[in-house]
Amino acid sequence: MRFAVRKVGPDEKSRLQEIGELTALAYLADGLIDHAHPYVPQLRDAAARAQDAELLAMIDGERGEGSIVGTITLVPPGSPFIELAEDAEFELRMLAVSPIERGRGIGRTLTQAAMDRAVEQGARRIVLSTLDTMHAAHRLYERMGFRRREELDWVVVDNEDGSVTRVPLEHGEPPVGAVRLLAYSWEP
Ligand SMILES: CC(C)(COP(=O)(O)OP(=O)(O)OC[C@H]1O[C@@H](n2cnc3c(N)ncnc32)[C@H](O)[C@@H]1OP(=O)(O)O)[C@@H](O)C(=O)NCCC(=O)NCCS
């Protein structure tokens, strides 16, 4: 494959902008959220992810000179980007592949790169959350050995600022207006 995966730093302004746009586009193109959704600015804010987590990108060209084709964020313990991870667990967030580059193994390669980096840093477990509409992502994670963890599913309502507030599951079902996030985990 002629693509290279690398970490993108907080000072790489034009790459961060490109990654932010691609992340939002990947979610919007699949109809996972709409333009007005408060999560869109967070998807766009790749700079925050580079600052407070490990932002990885796959870049076209063997020397990484071309366009960004996909991204994933590896969230280490202690990062403000943790949503689900506990204690020493690592978390994967905001996997996104350009809609015109799908089905070529980019999502899988990025996920594997993030898993490898987590293991290098001593991860004993990696967790992640998905929407129930993310069918391609479910298949990808399951084929890579992630296990569905229903008992870790969590339910949120979206806030205006893009953050979320957890709400309790009512009789096993989310309350009206809330969204259920499906949990997965993987252990080396
Ligand atoms: C999920 C996503 C990253 C997959 O990227 P990709 O580069 O197309 O994935 P790959 O080519 O590596 O495919 C990985 C697996 O997913 C499967 N897959 C890809 N697109 C699929 C689709 N539309 N429906 C079902 N499975 C699909 C592939 O068949 C492959 O499985 P296989 O190895 O068993 O054949 C991409 O669809 C995307 O950006 N989606 C929107 C954002 C999103 O859902 N992110 C997940 C956040 S938790």
Side-chain angles (χ1 to χ4, degrees), residues 49-61:
R49 306 201 282 283
Q51 187 69 48
D52 290 323
E54 264 194 54
L55 178 69
L56 302 183
M58 184 175 268
I59 309 180
D60 200 355

Side-chain angles (χ1 to χ4, degrees), residues 14-186:
S14 69
R15 284 305 196 185
L16 293 171
Q17 176 142 10
E18 198 182 346
I19 293 167
E21 293 306 320
L22 179 142
T23 314
L25 176 66
Y27 279 62
L28 291 166
D30 275 22
L32 299 169
I33 51 175
D34 62 35
H35 281 86
H37 197 284
Y39 196 44
V40 172
Q42 290 201 12
L43 292 168
R44 283 213 166 99
D45 192 358
R49 306 201 282 283
Q51 187 69 48
D52 290 323
E54 264 194 54
L55 178 69
L56 302 183
M58 184 175 268
I59 309 180
D60 200 355
E62 268 158 25
R63 291 182 305 282
E65 67 279 20
S67 316
I68 306 278
V69 294
T71 178
I72 191 168
T73 298
L74 173 62
V75 183
S79 164
F81 278 96
I82 287 174
E83 285 186 326
L84 180 65
E86 293 182 342
D87 304 325
E89 293 173 349
F90 283 62
E91 185 160 345
L92 302 184
R93 290 197 57 191
M94 299 186 196
L95 171 64
V97 171
S98 162
I100 57 167
E101 303 283 0
R102 302 261 172 97
R104 305 173 61 189
I106 293 170
R108 173 180 280 269
T109 305
L110 277 163
T111 305
Q112 188 64 58
M115 291 162 74
D116 291 347
R117 291 181 80 97
V119 170
E120 276 166 27
Q121 293 170 52
R124 306 297 297 272
R125 180 176 291 141
I126 302 174
V127 295
L128 62 86
S129 308
T130 68
L131 293 170
D132 65 356
T133 46
M134 292 175 162
H135 305 298
H138 299 160
R139 183 170 158 89
L140 186 158
Y141 296 134
E142 280 162 21
R143 289 291 292 267
M144 297 191 72
F146 277 82
R147 198 157 57 85
R148 188 65 183 93
R149 296 287 303 278
E150 273 184 49
E151 73 282 13
L152 298 180
D153 285 359
W154 50 298
V155 176
V156 297
V157 288
D158 293 306
N159 301 321
E160 285 295 316
D161 66 356
S163 65
V164 292
T165 301
R166 283 176 190 240
V167 293
L169 270 177
E170 286 175 0
H171 314 296
E173 287 304 320
V176 177
V179 175
R180 183 182 190 128
L181 295 158
L182 312 189
Y184 285 81
S185 75
W186 176 86

